[in-house]
């Protein structure tokens, strides 16, 4: 199993540009989520999904959209990039069961917005 | 929303046992307590999870008192490679949704 994969590893955007960060998992996990981590800070939840077709907002959803058309994929879209979105983005997945909080994290995407 | 409080940083020396305590006063009845480890430039990695009393695996032990309002992660005989940030998480005790909230974590520095 590849686990959780994220692409790209690095990305530089100009203010106002849009892009999609890709996330895929091959463990058949129901639950997937996106976090951002600013330098020296903990992770903050952006959006999450408890299954295909179901998404919900986390702590910091503004400026981001998600969709979950398949169990495997959970892309994160930046609608109009802003310098405040410069961060490292992590995708994670975990098995079904809302008390099962063992999440598997991807390697991250480092995004810089100029 | 269930909140956790951890020390911001801790120092230790190789070979010592390290105990990191997390407070979670409003933990819900069905919530589990989970600890993650994060190295620089990597995603967090699951260490251990428990509900009550004591849980032990090949990496760490987790001690949870009867009232479950705190928990202690114990790392036996740490090495330099245990230098990392450690996060304590509990479930959302208010609305039973499945999101997870990370706090700032505890930055552990192991010295030679």
């Amino acid at each position: 199993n590849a686990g959780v994969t994220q692409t790209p590893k690095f990305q530089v955007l100009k203010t106002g540009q849009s892009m999609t960060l890709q996330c895929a998992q091959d463990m058949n996990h129901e639950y997937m989520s996106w976090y951002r981590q600013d330098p020296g800070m903990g992770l903050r939840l952006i959006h999450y999904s408890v299954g295909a077709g179901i998404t919900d907002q986390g702590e910091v959803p503004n400026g981001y959209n998600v969709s979950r058309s398949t169990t495997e994929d959970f892309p994160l879209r930046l609608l109009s990039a802003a310098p405040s979105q410069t961060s490292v983005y992590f995708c994670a997945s975990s098995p079904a069961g809302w008390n099962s909080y063992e999440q598997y994290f991807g390697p991250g995407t480092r995004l810089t917005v100029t | 929303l269930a909140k956790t409080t951890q020390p911001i940083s801790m120092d230790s020396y190789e070979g010592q046992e390290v105990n990191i305590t997390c407070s979670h006063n409003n933990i819900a009845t069905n919530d589990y307590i989970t600890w993650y480890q994060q190295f620089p430039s990597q995603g967090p990695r699951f260490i251990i999870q428990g509900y009550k009393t004591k849980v032990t695996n090949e990496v760490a032990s987790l001690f949870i008192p009867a009232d479950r309002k705190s928990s202690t992660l114990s790392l036996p005989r740490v090495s330099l490679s245990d230098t990392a940030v450690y996060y304590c998480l509990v479930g959302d005790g208010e609305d039973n949704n499945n999101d997870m909230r990370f706090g700032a974590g505890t930055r552990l520095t192991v010295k030679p």
Side-chain angles (χ1 to χ4, degrees), chain A residues 31 35 37 40-45 48 50 56-59 90 94 97-107 110, chain B residues 30-32 34 36 38 41-46 49 87 89-92 96-105 107:
Chain A
Y31 178 66
Y35 295 86
Q37 186 171 35
M41 305 288 288
L43 284 79
R44 290 186 292 169
L45 183 67
Y48 64 98
V50 298
D56 207 344
Q57 297 180 350
E59 296 176 82
F90 291 103
S94 70
W98 67 273
N99 266 324
S100 173
Y101 290 142
E102 180 177 350
Q103 290 202 93
Y104 297 80
F105 283 81
R110 188 174 298 273
Chain B
N30 292 334
D31 285 340
Y32 280 71
T34 309
Y36 284 81
Q38 186 179 27
S41 301
Q42 295 185 25
R45 182 176 72 103
F46 172 87
Q49 184 182 73
Y87 296 98
L89 284 82
V90 298
D92 185 332
N96 291 344
N97 62 21
N98 208 12
D99 60 324
M100 296 176 61
R101 307 294 171 102
F102 283 76
R107 186 174 300 275

Side-chain angles (χ1 to χ4, degrees), chain A residues 44-65:
Chain A
R44 290 186 292 169
L45 183 67
I46 304 173
H47 285 284
Y48 64 98
S49 168
V50 298
I54 306 170
T55 63
D56 207 344
Q57 297 180 350
E59 296 176 82
V60 289
N62 292 341
Y64 307 94
N65 273 355

Side-chain angles (χ1 to χ4, degrees), chain A residues 71-114:
Chain A
T71 298
E72 295 77 20
D73 300 299
F74 191 43
L76 177 72
R77 283 183 290 277
L78 278 71
L79 308 174
S80 177
S84 61
Q85 293 179 304
T86 293
S87 190
V88 179
Y89 292 83
F90 291 103
C91 178
S93 74
S94 70
W98 67 273
N99 266 324
S100 173
Y101 290 142
E102 180 177 350
Q103 290 202 93
Y104 297 80
F105 283 81
T109 294
R110 188 174 298 273
L111 175 68
T112 301
V113 182
T114 61

